Amino acid sequence: MILKEELNMSDHFLVKLTLSPNGLKCLIFIILFTGIYNIYGQTSPYPDSQVIKGISLKWSTHRRGAQGSDNFQLTWADDNNLYGAWGDGGGFAGNSNKTCRVPLGVARIEGSGTNWKGYDVWGDPKCSEKEATFNGKSWGTICLDSVLYMWVVSDHEFGHLKFVNLARSFDHGASWEKSDWKFEITDRLSIPTFINYGKNNSGAKDDFIYSYFIHVEDTTNTKFEMHDKGKLYLTRVHKASLWEGREAFEWYKGMETEKPLWGTVLEKKPVFEDPEGVGWCLSAFYNPGLKRYILSAEHTETHKGIIGIFDAPDPWGPWTTVKYWTEDKYFGKSRQGDTLAWERNVFFLAFNNKWLSKNGKKFTLNFTGGGRGNDNDSFNTVKGSFILNR
């Protein structure tokens, strides 16, 4: 008896095999060797990284602040501090889901990855240095030429995915203005994040600012949910034109002779795809020590610690897998030495270059969860290292 199988592995390559019953061991070996198929959980959409074999986390270093406030994608500013937005809480000063609560606030985090302290820059006036003047949510902040920029998605009254504005601050987060232009859900775009480089965007690839947007399939659904189609788009804009308007943005539309092609928003094509879905927030940064772009996103189900970390030599790929947490082996399942309260609710994690060693191996990771004011609904950090293949 002859068994014929055709395996299509995430569009990167096609394997055709003709097997006898005794040839099954060969098929199993090829599947396991490529790292494409995981018989114990979800399937990673990309092959294993040949640079970064995985990550190791030292859970005894787990620290927590800003209880009741989540999100916190951070950027390294020119004043040597980190800045990032929180959502639905009182920030570091309120340290509560109710006290000094704002839908959107901005924090400044001073110090090292092992000895940091957070301050509320823009939020409730009773607890913050300045009062917040608009609502929304954000997972994308960058510092460029001493100016902070923040992607802001719409607030509850409109539905969070309805549109995306850009905001900017000339005084390190004390005051913000929003753009008079926006990207709409009808563009099939939502919840972007910037690619962050070094201090004040030093070490950037070129003169363009890059962002990833999540694909929206159902434009009538404006809630924070898993996007089943699992597609990301890449856009770039010259740094001198970042504030000018949506027409200044160019969108990745494919490759030609190993070079990316750029077009209008209507011509955009996915730069990343995961059949297991993509969560409703992302993080991305460039690791100069390893010369790799690192992208993090949920998959399969939100608020479960089911997250993937991917790397690539360029913002447009080709992507490989650093770590792919699954339903059975989720982020934080094993936390030797961690004494803090925990529930399985993590939905976001991010890296930053300030808390990265010069060789790119050691880092302090920050993450957050949806604990309704408890446990991981907070600003969390843990030290770790990238495990290299070389």
Side-chain angles (χ1 to χ4, degrees):
M1 177 180 177
I2 302 297
L3 173 66
K4 293 184 178 180
E5 292 288 343
E6 185 177 276
L7 303 177
N8 188 353
M9 297 185 177
S10 93
D11 295 330
H12 288 279
F13 47 83
L14 189 66
V15 179
K16 294 184 178 180
L17 297 172
T18 301
L19 297 178
S20 67
N22 292 332
L24 186 59
K25 289 182 180 180
C26 177
L27 173 61
I28 293 173
F29 172 78
I30 291 173
I31 292 173
L32 294 179
F33 178 78
T34 59
I36 296 299
Y37 186 68
N38 177 0
I39 62 175
Y40 298 107
Q42 291 83 13
T43 303
S44 174
Y46 297 100
D48 291 343
S49 172
Q50 297 302 300
V51 178
I52 310 173
K53 184 162 42 176
I55 69 170
S56 173
L57 299 175
K58 189 176 181 181
W59 282 101
S60 61
T61 65
H62 182 192
R63 286 190 60 198
R64 181 173 287 159
Q67 191 66 59
S69 301
D70 52 17
N71 306 338
F72 294 103
Q73 180 273 321
L74 303 177
T75 191
W76 189 6
D78 61 301
D79 63 356
N80 203 37
N81 295 316
L82 294 168
Y83 290 86
W86 81 78
D88 295 334
F92 288 94
N95 203 36
S96 164
N97 197 36
K98 297 180 180 179
T99 304
C100 296
R101 179 186 172 100
V102 290
L104 176 65
V106 174
R108 179 181 68 252
I109 299 174
E110 301 179 2
S112 67
T114 56
N115 186 27
W116 51 261
K117 187 172 182 179
Y119 300 88
D120 300 347
V121 179
W122 190 77
D124 186 285
K126 297 188 294 295
C127 293
S128 300
E129 297 170 10
K130 297 292 182 179
E131 182 175 4
T133 52
F134 54 81
N135 296 329
K137 295 290 182 291
S138 177
W139 291 267
T141 312
I142 195 169
C143 185
L144 176 63
D145 296 333
S146 305
V147 180
L148 294 178
Y149 294 89
M150 174 171 62
W151 286 119
V152 181
V153 301
S154 49
D155 195 30
H156 293 285
E157 61 179 304
F158 301 105
H160 282 306
L161 309 190
K162 192 70 174 176
F163 56 83
V164 179
N165 286 106
L166 187 64
R168 66 180 177 181
S169 171
F170 293 97
D171 50 14
H172 293 109
S175 62
W176 292 84
E177 62 174 327
K178 285 205 298 184
S179 64
D180 58 5
W181 52 269
K182 62 188 70 173
F183 291 108
E184 306 274 0
I185 194 171
T186 51
D187 294 312
R188 298 195 178 277
L189 299 170
S190 191
I191 311 186
T193 195
F194 291 106
I195 296 179
N196 265 264
Y197 290 89
K199 182 179 179 181
N200 200 25
N201 209 45
S202 62
K205 178 181 181 65
D206 48 36
D207 288 334
F208 289 91
I209 306 301
Y210 294 85
S211 299
Y212 296 103
F213 279 71
I214 297 175
H215 168 81
V216 177
E217 184 69 18
D218 181 1
T219 58
T220 66
N221 185 354
T222 61
K223 297 180 180 179
F224 286 152
E225 293 180 353
M226 181 65 57
H227 297 271
D228 293 338
K229 293 296 181 180
K231 300 176 183 179
L232 301 181
Y233 300 110
L234 174 66
T235 186
R236 72 176 190 176
V237 59
H238 193 277
K239 63 182 182 180
S241 304
L242 180 57
W243 192 253
E244 287 184 2
R246 52 179 286 153
E247 292 77 17
F249 287 75
E250 301 175 317
W251 296 84
Y252 173 87
K253 63 175 187 177
M255 299 289 292
E256 183 177 83
T257 61
E258 300 184 353
K259 291 185 178 181
L261 300 175
W262 303 94
T264 67
V265 66
L266 295 177
E267 296 175 296
K268 65 185 182 298
K269 292 183 179 179
V271 74
F272 174 98
E273 296 186 65
D274 188 347
E276 295 287 347
V278 170
W280 43 275
C281 52
L282 312 165
S283 72
F285 92 117
Y286 179 67
N287 185 322
L290 303 182
K291 296 181 172 60
R292 305 296 285 181
Y293 288 84
I294 308 293
L295 172 70
S296 302
E298 285 186 295
H299 61 89
T300 307
E301 186 177 359
T302 187
H303 287 79
K304 295 289 187 181
I306 309 177
I307 300 171
I309 299 178
F310 307 90
D311 70 328
D314 289 298
W316 43 86
W319 296 104
T320 51
T321 303
V322 173
K323 182 69 177 179
Y324 203 72
W325 285 284
T326 64
E327 174 70 27
D328 294 332
K329 297 180 180 180
Y330 53 86
F331 175 85
K333 183 175 183 179
S334 176
R335 304 180 312 282
Q336 184 176 1
D338 189 0
T339 60
L340 298 178
W342 186 279
E343 293 290 339
R344 184 184 172 185
N345 51 31
V346 173
F347 64 82
F348 176 76
L349 58 83
F351 303 87
N352 70 79
N353 269 295
K354 183 181 179 183
W355 293 347
L356 183 72
S357 64
K358 188 174 182 179
N359 63 6
K361 291 179 62 176
K362 296 182 179 180
F363 57 78
T364 295
L365 173 75
N366 70 276
F367 65 91
T368 196
R372 297 188 178 275
N374 302 311
D375 52 82
N376 294 318
D377 185 10
S378 51
F379 177 73
N380 296 267
T381 62
V382 61
K383 291 180 63 177
S385 59
F386 291 108
I387 304 169
L388 304 186
N389 273 313
R390 57 185 183 217

